Amino acid sequence: MSLEEKVGQLFVMHVYGHTATDPDPEDVDTNLRELGVRDAAELIARYRLGGVIYFGWAHNTHSPHQIAALSRGIQEAAAKALPSGVPVLISVDQEHGAVARVGAPATLLPGAMALGASGSHEHAREAARIAGAELHALGIRQDHAPDADVNIDPANPVIGVRSFGADPEAVAGFVAAQVEGYRSAGIATAAKHFPGHGDTTDDSHTELPHIHHTREEWDRFDAPPFRAAIAAGVDSVMTAHIVVPALDPSGDPATLSYPIVTGILREELGYDGVVATDSLAMRGVRTKYGDDRVAVLALKAGVDQLLNPPRPQVAWDAVLRAVREGELTEERIEESVLRVLRVKARVGLLPEDGSAPNMAAEVDSVVGSPAHRAAADRIADATTTLLENPGSLLPLSPDTHRDVLVVGADPRSPSGTTGPPTTVLADALTGLGFTATALSTGTAPDATAVDKAVAAARGTGAVIVTTYNVATHTATARDNTQAANTALDKGPATEDTPAAEDGQIALVAALKATGVPVITLAVRNPYDVARLPAVDAALAAYCWTDVALRAAARVIAGRAAPRGRLPVPVRRADDPARVLYPIGHGLTY
C-alpha cells in the first residue's frame, strides 16, 4: 500500500445515501457540503477509506434489500478505487434496545439492561448471535457493541439502559457472552466506552465529562467488563471522550491519552486488538484541541481507527503531514493497518482466493426470520420486571378489568420503525382479550393533556401509564434520546425535549385520584418508580420497542410471569443515600 492508502485504512466515515453511486439529490448536496464528495464511491476513492459506518439519519438503512445492495455497492467501489483491493469494513451501532440503526423487518431484540434484568448469559449470547447473523446477511461485518460501561449513576444522560447494569462482575459476564455470540456469527465486536463512561452526569456528545474514580475504584468498578471482553476475544475497544484524572492527570480525554490507551489498555490489560475512537465529531473530544490535532494525537495515544472526523479532509491531511514531518512514523501507521486487516480477515473480507465477499446472500431467509422473531419474544419474556404490586392487582384479567386505557409517553422508536408505544401496548392487550384504548400524552404532559387523560380514564377498568425518564437529578427532565440514538453527534432529535419533570408525575397523580387502578410501565430507565406517586402496580420494560412492549403486555395479562430482576439499584428520590429497591429486586406471580 501507498502511505495514502495505509492512512485511509484507519478512517471510518459515514456517508449520506441509500446507494453507493446514486443517492437522492438531497443526499448528494449534503455529502458535497459536509464531506466534499457526491457519494460513497467518491468518498472511498478520495480517502482510500478503510471503513464505512451506517446510520438511519444518513439514509443508509431503509430496508434489508436496500442495505444489502448498499453494502455490495460499497465493496464494488472499493475494488475499483483501492489499488490494494482491500474491502471496506462496514459497521453499525446496533446495540438493540435504546440504540438501533437497522429496524423492522429486521429482528429487534431486548437491549443491554433488559438482558441484564433477565439474568441469563445464554439469552445475551443468543441475542448477539441473532443480531450478528442478520447484520452479516446485510453485508455489515462489525457491530459497535456490546456496551461495557457499568451504569453507576442513575442520572447518567448517555449510558443508562445501554449498560447491562450496575454490578461490575455481572456486567462483565454479559459483555463476554455478547462478544461470544457476535463472534459466532462472524461479526467483529467493539466493547465501549473505555475506560468506562458509567459514572457521570455529563454527556460527551455535548461536553467533556470528568470521572472522579480513584485508580482503585476504576479497577473495581470500570475495568472488569473490559477485562472480560478482552478474554472473550473482542475485536475492537472503543475509547470514551472523558477525563479520568486518576488514570491521566493531563486533562486530556481518554481518546487522546497515551497513558490510558497504551499504558493501561495495551500494556496493563494486554490488549493488542483494534482501538477505535468514539465519534470525533463529539464535543467531548474537541474542547481542548483542533480537529487537525485530534486525529494525530489519537494515533499517538495508540488508537487505530478514527471514527467520523467532522472535517475529514483536515484530519486526513493532518495525519499525512504528521508522518511526512516525522511526528508519526510510517511504522506506527502500519501497526494500526495490520490490526485493522486482521479484523477484516477474521470476518471473511480477505478471502485467500481473492474472490469478492458474498454480500447478503441470505437476506430473505435470515433477516427478520420467524425463528429469530420468536426467539426475541422468548428472550423478552424474561426481562420485564415487576417492581410493585401491593394489592395484587396484577395480573389483570379481561373478566374483571376488560376496558383498559393506555396513556403516557410515546418516544420515537430507536430505529424509527416501531411504535408508538401506547398504541403497540394497547394493541397487544387487545389481542390478549382486553378492550384497550391508547392515548398519547407525551413525556411532558401539560394540564390539558392531563385533563384529557383523566376524562378518558373514568369508567375504565384500569389505566396503564408509560413513563419515560422521569428526571432523577434536576428540576428539568433531560431528554437523552437524541444522544443515545444518534450516539455519534449527528442527526435530528428523535422527539421534543421535555419541559418540567412534574408533567409525568402530575399525570400519574391525577389518574390515581380518579380511583381507577393505575399501573406504571417505565419504558426506559427503571428509576422512574422512585419519582412517581404510589400506584397499584409498577413495572420496568427497559425499552419501548415492540418486542419489549409485547412482553410487558403478556406479563400484565398473566400470560407470562414477571421474571426480570433489577440489574441496578433504585434509590429513593428524597434520600439518594437510601436504596428503595436493590439489585435483584423483582416480584412475580
Side-chain angles (χ1 to χ4, degrees):
M1 296 181 181
S2 66
L3 174 60
E4 289 77 9
E5 195 169 0
K6 292 174 188 175
V7 169
Q9 284 295 308
L10 311 186
F11 279 73
V12 181
M13 299 185 195
H14 74 276
V15 62
Y16 290 83
H18 66 287
T19 76
T21 57
D22 189 27
D24 292 337
E26 296 82 1
D27 290 327
V28 172
D29 292 342
T30 306
N31 283 330
L32 288 170
R33 184 173 62 253
E34 293 189 9
L35 304 171
V37 297
R38 295 175 56 84
D39 53 37
E42 287 188 12
L43 184 73
I44 293 166
R46 173 172 293 191
Y47 296 106
R48 285 75 159 178
L49 208 57
V52 169
I53 184 168
Y54 288 167
F55 291 102
W57 49 259
H59 308 145
N60 303 143
T61 57
H62 291 310
S63 68
H65 282 285
Q66 170 268 318
I67 297 170
L70 174 60
S71 298
R72 284 195 300 271
I74 284 173
Q75 300 298 4
E76 289 167 358
K80 293 177 182 177
L82 302 180
S84 67
V86 174
V88 170
L89 182 61
I90 299 173
S91 63
V92 70
D93 278 324
Q94 187 77 353
E95 298 174 15
H96 287 273
V99 177
R101 315 300 185 193
V102 180
T107 304
L108 291 172
L109 294 138
M113 193 170 286
L115 291 170
S118 79
S120 171
H121 291 169
E122 184 51 43
H123 283 335
R125 191 176 293 107
E126 183 179 13
R129 180 191 59 77
I130 291 169
E134 297 201 3
L135 293 179
H136 196 279
L138 299 174
I140 298 168
R141 292 294 184 269
Q142 182 176 35
D143 193 1
H144 292 287
D147 192 306
D149 299 307
V150 179
N151 199 69
I152 296 172
D153 193 332
N156 194 318
V158 65
I159 304 302
V161 293
R162 299 170 64 193
S163 165
F164 291 102
D167 179 270
E169 295 304 326
V171 172
F174 282 102
V175 167
Q178 289 234 295
V179 169
E180 292 163 1
Y182 279 114
R183 284 176 64 89
S184 71
I187 295 294
T189 48
K192 58 190 183 184
H193 306 81
F194 190 82
H197 206 322
D199 194 8
T200 178
T201 57
D202 298 324
D203 182 354
S204 54
H205 294 84
T206 58
E207 51 199 324
L208 179 58
H210 286 63
I211 306 292
H212 296 290
H213 286 181
T214 65
R215 174 59 200 251
E216 292 73 20
E217 289 171 332
W218 179 82
D219 282 326
R220 186 164 73 252
F221 294 125
D222 301 292
F226 292 101
R227 293 184 187 274
I230 293 168
V234 73
D235 300 279
S236 174
V237 172
M238 179 181 285
T239 61
H241 307 322
I242 57 174
V243 172
V244 189
L247 305 184
D248 180 356
S250 71
D252 285 346
T255 297
L256 310 182
S257 168
Y258 185 92
I260 291 175
V261 175
T262 296
I264 295 177
L265 179 56
R266 294 211 186 278
E267 295 176 355
E268 290 189 27
L269 301 190
Y271 177 67
D272 191 38
V274 169
V275 177
T277 72
D278 205 341
S279 170
L280 298 181
M282 292 164 59
R283 182 56 53 190
V285 78
R286 304 174 72 193
T287 58
K288 189 174 179 180
Y289 301 100
D291 292 333
D292 56 341
R293 295 302 299 158
V294 164
V296 173
L297 292 174
L299 294 174
K300 291 180 71 173
V303 162
D304 304 301
Q305 284 184 317
L306 304 170
L307 182 57
N308 257 7
R311 295 192 293 165
Q313 191 68 58
V314 169
W316 165 269
D317 290 342
V319 174
L320 286 173
R321 183 168 58 253
V323 176
R324 288 167 178 155
E325 294 179 356
E327 185 178 6
L328 285 168
T329 66
E330 192 160 351
E331 289 75 17
R332 167 67 191 88
I333 299 298
E334 288 173 350
E335 289 176 5
S336 290
V337 172
L338 286 171
R339 292 189 184 108
V340 171
L341 292 178
R342 289 188 193 108
V343 172
K344 292 184 177 184
R346 196 191 71 73
V347 297
L349 291 176
L350 302 178
E352 293 182 2
D353 61 2
S355 61
N358 184 8
M359 294 289 110
E362 301 177 333
V363 171
D364 291 324
S365 62
V366 173
V367 179
S369 71
H372 285 178
R373 293 198 302 271
D377 283 332
R378 174 171 47 78
I379 293 169
D381 276 341
T383 65
T384 305
T385 305
L386 179 59
L387 301 172
E388 297 177 350
N389 194 24
S392 298
L393 173 67
L394 296 183
L396 289 184
S397 167
D399 296 333
T400 56
H401 299 85
R402 178 171 295 276
D403 294 325
V404 176
L405 175 67
V406 181
V407 303
D410 267 334
R412 184 180 176 187
S413 166
S415 63
T417 60
T418 68
T422 55
T423 299
V424 172
L425 186 58
D427 288 347
L429 289 168
T430 297
L432 296 172
F434 295 88
T435 301
T437 304
L439 175 63
S440 177
T441 54
T443 54
D446 57 18
T448 300
V450 170
D451 289 344
K452 187 175 181 181
V454 166
R458 298 189 187 282
T460 62
V463 180
I464 301 170
V465 186
T466 59
T467 66
Y468 181 89
N469 284 13
V470 179
T472 59
H473 61 291
T474 65
T476 299
R478 296 182 62 180
D479 177 22
N480 59 12
T481 303
Q482 178 173 354
N485 280 299
T486 62
L488 285 171
D489 203 32
K490 293 290 295 183
T494 55
E495 62 177 89
D496 294 336
T497 300
E501 66 165 344
D502 59 1
Q504 295 183 79
I505 297 173
L507 173 65
V508 173
L511 290 168
K512 182 65 178 170
T514 66
V516 176
V518 175
I519 302 158
T520 59
L521 175 66
V523 296
R524 190 170 181 139
N525 288 323
Y527 312 111
D528 289 1
V529 66
R531 302 289 296 180
L532 296 169
V535 292
D536 298 282
L539 305 103
Y542 309 98
C543 189
W544 58 104
T545 52
D546 292 9
V547 67
L549 296 167
R550 291 195 304 267
R554 290 190 290 272
V555 167
I556 290 169
R559 301 298 180 88
R563 290 186 281 148
R565 299 292 181 266
L566 279 174
V568 294
V570 173
R571 299 184 177 278
R572 291 182 52 149
D574 59 347
D575 185 3
R578 297 175 62 187
V579 173
L580 179 64
Y581 295 121
I583 292 175
H585 172 77
L587 307 176
T588 191
Y589 38 78

